[in-house]
Amino acid sequence: MRGKLMVGNWKMNGSLAANAALLSDILAGMGELSCRAAVCVPAPYLAQAQRLLSGSALWLGAQDVSAHDAGAYTGEVSADMLRDFAVRYCIVGHSERRQYHGETDAQVAAKVQRALSAGITPIVCLGESLSEREAGLTEAVVKRQLAAVIQANGHCISEIVVAYEPVWAIGTGLTASPDQAQQVHAVLRAQLRAASAHAERVPIVYGGSMGAANAADLLAQPDVDGGLIGGAALRATEFLSLLTTASC
Ligand code: 13P
């Protein structure tokens, strides 16, 4: 059994004071978890979050990693740097990076390689835009995005986490229905199976307006192994209720 994995993506939100309050409320309310949980914080707050999360059951994550090892790449953060802060997970290829920073499938695949070689689990984000869905291209798009990662990472592919995040559902309040999510997750699962004998252990999580109102139905789907949560992860009570739902 894969168990559920619930990951908060804080995106470009927070401050020293706000992070301390949010993490302290989450840790105080967390109790015993039977799901895995993490928060992916902005890079400048990794040291703060590492200190506050130390000894807790909440893992630390980052939101991006450089495709390069080290050197003259101003503004970039390497996988080894992330490892210095005990980062366990790193989001890679989020649609906001693909959309606003022009990240290509090849760059995403290279970032996944860097994370894996530093012992960090990449959370590889895939998803179609609204126009791609309307044109019937959903499967083709997510398969192309995953194929690039599989091709570059070979047998290590069973060490990744996949996040299906339909772009039209991110921050919009629109959520994929449980059936829509399951359909795409099943396609991704089949693609992973064809690439690795260990595909069953790859968590495929869903992201896009996941919240207390829809999480239980999404998480009940056989191939939905957790959530990548944006807005709701910034509110302690809502994030905690999602962790409880995933722990059932
Ligand atoms: P929302 O939950 O705010 O829609 O964001 C989802 C997301 O992009 C997580 O990575």
Side-chain angles (χ1 to χ4, degrees), residues 5 62 65 88-93 108-109 111-117 119-125 149 153 156-157 159-163 202-203:
L5 170 65
V65 63
R88 170 81 172 75
Y89 295 100
C90 181
I91 296 171
V92 177
V108 171
K111 289 180 174 205
V112 169
Q113 275 178 320
R114 292 285 174 250
L116 286 172
S117 61
I120 294 168
T121 302
I123 301 175
V124 182
C125 298
V149 176
N153 290 276
C156 294
I157 204 66
E159 305 304 318
I160 72 170
V161 171
V162 172
V202 176

Side-chain angles (χ1 to χ4, degrees), residues 101-169:
H101 302 272
E103 279 189 19
T104 63
D105 291 343
Q107 284 168 326
V108 171
K111 289 180 174 205
V112 169
Q113 275 178 320
R114 292 285 174 250
L116 286 172
S117 61
I120 294 168
T121 302
I123 301 175
V124 182
C125 298
L126 319 166
E128 81 288 3
S129 65
L130 186 57
S131 59
E132 288 165 337
R133 174 162 281 270
E134 286 172 348
L137 293 173
T138 299
E139 261 194 42
V141 169
V142 297
K143 282 168 91 170
R144 186 205 74 221
Q145 291 171 331
L146 184 56
V149 176
I150 290 173
Q151 197 186 10
N153 290 276
H155 65 275
C156 294
I157 204 66
S158 60
E159 305 304 318
I160 72 170
V161 171
V162 172
Y164 169 54
E165 297 207 306
V167 178
W168 49 271

Side-chain angles (χ1 to χ4, degrees), residues 9 11 94 96 165 169-171 208-210 228-231:
N9 174 9
K11 308 193 179 186
H94 193 281
E96 287 149 15
E165 297 207 306
I170 295 176
S209 299
M210 186 183 260
L228 183 55
I229 303 134

